[in-house]
Amino acid sequence: MSITTRRTVLRSTVVAAAAALCASISSLPALALDGQWCKDVHIRFFVGGAEGDAFGTIVYNGAKQAAADLGPKVDYIFSQWDVEKMVQQLREAVAVKPQGIAMMGHPGDAAIMPLAEQAHKDGIKMMYQNVPVPKVVAAFGGGYVGAQQEQQGRALGVEAFKLGKLKAGDKAIMIGPFENENRGARERGTVAALKEAGVEVIQLSSPPSGEWASDPNLAIPVITAALLNHPDVKAVGYPGGQMLGNVATYMQAAGRKPGDIFNFGFDTSPQIVEGFKGGWVQLTADQQPFLQGYLPILSLCQQVVLGLAPMNVDTGAGFVTPQNYEIVSELAKQALR
């Protein structure tokens, strides 16, 4: 074969390969734009709380919307914020061998690691939401949709110090799952920021079983006792929207009036909107839970169907205050913010 002939054959081969590649690539947008393009994918999605939970409902609504838009079969898992229950449910989810699992990161790296390893061996795509598990992701892949816990917690502490007009030597109470390595990073970050500003922080540990998130009224005796024992407390921080939405009940049980204490925390909900209206709530950090429902399912569909890399999205959106809460109030009432 002459050199000229070889070049002609090589050129023809390259052109044919390029044409085939272009044809395969050009088919992807058509597939992605086709309605219900993820309809053959089975996903297990962890909502976190119980059905009707203030925060979990927004996550659930986001996940339901993604399922309606994209078409996958989704099993919704409710855990009452109980980390031990989440681990057992994840074990069951891996055994079922769906194509994707969207898991709440509350149990932490150590508890999730062996199950993530099994999922990896079985070819199950993983996404995590609400609480990051960086060691798990580094070892076995997956993406994360949610606020960065310590970063958001520190930012809230700084904002509370400023908006609450606190000063060095003032007392504050912070409630949270401080012993939980991953989930408690947020509240530990808030405590650290306040202490660095000179505030004396009294820490109240919430039960690891998630009881206070499932039923905020269970915390009434503990919070009331803390306020009675420390009558000079200037601010109280709460670990989630369920408890922040119950602030009026806590304050009234302790004989306090709106504005007596600077109440702050995380998330938005209809109850928190009412708290702002009544003067009971002064600050909350928004982490857009609707996205924590929608985006993990979108990412799992993209990974399974299109072979795309998992998403990593920081949903920490800033702060809601008495000055701007009306902007999100209607969406909060619809359990979308």
Side-chain angles (χ1 to χ4, degrees):
M1 182 183 294
S2 67
I3 293 176
T4 301
T5 302
R6 286 197 194 97
R7 286 176 177 168
T8 301
V9 172
L10 179 59
R11 186 179 299 112
S12 298
T13 303
V14 171
V15 170
L21 178 61
C22 288
S24 66
I25 292 174
S26 66
S27 69
L28 291 181
L31 176 65
L33 292 174
D34 185 32
Q36 306 291 286
W37 57 270
C38 191
K39 63 183 175 61
D40 295 324
V41 176
H42 179 203
I43 294 170
R44 285 217 163 182
F45 183 91
F46 282 72
V47 179
E51 293 187 62
D53 174 86
F55 182 87
T57 296
I58 306 175
V59 176
Y60 177 64
N61 286 342
K64 290 281 285 186
Q65 187 63 56
D69 291 346
L70 308 174
K73 176 190 174 184
V74 182
D75 304 324
Y76 299 98
I77 311 299
F78 298 89
S79 310
Q80 290 77 43
W81 303 114
D82 186 330
V83 294
E84 292 184 4
K85 187 172 185 177
M86 285 184 190
V87 172
Q88 178 57 34
Q89 290 171 328
L90 178 58
R91 185 175 293 108
E92 295 166 359
V94 172
V96 171
K97 296 185 179 178
Q99 285 138 301
I101 297 174
M103 173 65 183
M104 287 279 172
H106 295 64
D109 284 295
I112 292 175
M113 188 73 75
L115 297 174
E117 181 178 10
Q118 186 61 52
H120 180 73
K121 290 178 180 177
D122 293 340
I124 301 169
K125 303 298 184 184
M126 296 293 298
M127 285 292 294
Y128 302 94
Q129 60 264 11
N130 196 245
V131 176
V133 282
K135 294 177 183 176
V136 168
V137 170
F140 300 111
Y144 174 66
V145 178
Q148 294 299 318
Q149 296 284 292
E150 183 179 7
Q151 178 181 323
Q152 189 182 44
R154 277 187 165 272
L156 180 66
V158 170
E159 196 73 4
F161 183 82
K162 180 175 69 175
L163 296 187
K165 298 179 180 178
L166 303 178
K167 59 184 184 298
D170 284 345
K171 285 185 181 179
I173 292 173
M174 188 66 206
I175 305 163
F178 300 107
E179 292 78 18
N180 186 312
E181 180 184 0
N182 293 65
R183 171 60 187 85
R186 187 172 69 180
E187 286 71 22
R188 292 196 301 270
T190 303
V191 169
L194 289 172
K195 285 185 174 181
E196 287 166 9
V199 176
E200 180 184 340
V201 182
I202 299 139
Q203 296 180 219
L204 299 181
S205 292
S206 54
S209 58
E211 295 172 7
W212 290 359
S214 296
D215 184 356
N217 285 331
L218 294 176
I220 292 174
V222 177
I223 295 174
T224 301
L227 289 173
L228 291 175
N229 290 333
H230 305 279
D232 53 344
V233 159
K234 300 291 180 64
V236 179
Y238 303 84
Q242 303 90 342
M243 295 185 70
L244 187 62
N246 207 40
V247 159
T249 300
Y250 301 141
M251 294 298 106
Q252 288 168 346
R256 301 302 182 96
K257 298 177 181 178
D260 283 353
I261 288 178
F262 185 89
N263 289 293
F264 66 98
F266 301 89
D267 309 330
T268 56
S269 69
Q271 295 82 4
I272 291 172
V273 167
E274 291 304 311
F276 276 116
K277 279 185 179 179
W280 298 104
V281 176
Q282 284 71 41
L283 172 67
T284 188
D286 182 16
Q287 57 175 325
Q288 302 184 102
F290 186 89
L291 293 181
Q292 296 179 21
Y294 195 102
L295 293 182
I297 289 181
L298 172 60
S299 182
L300 288 171
C301 284
Q302 290 176 336
Q303 291 176 63
V304 173
V305 178
L306 303 177
L308 299 183
M311 287 185 181
N312 286 281
V313 180
D314 185 348
T315 64
F319 301 105
V320 180
T321 69
Q323 287 69 45
N324 66 11
Y325 80 90
E326 292 181 349
I327 296 173
V328 302
S329 62
E330 287 307 311
L331 289 174
K333 290 176 182 177
Q334 297 173 48
L336 298 174
R337 278 293 298 271

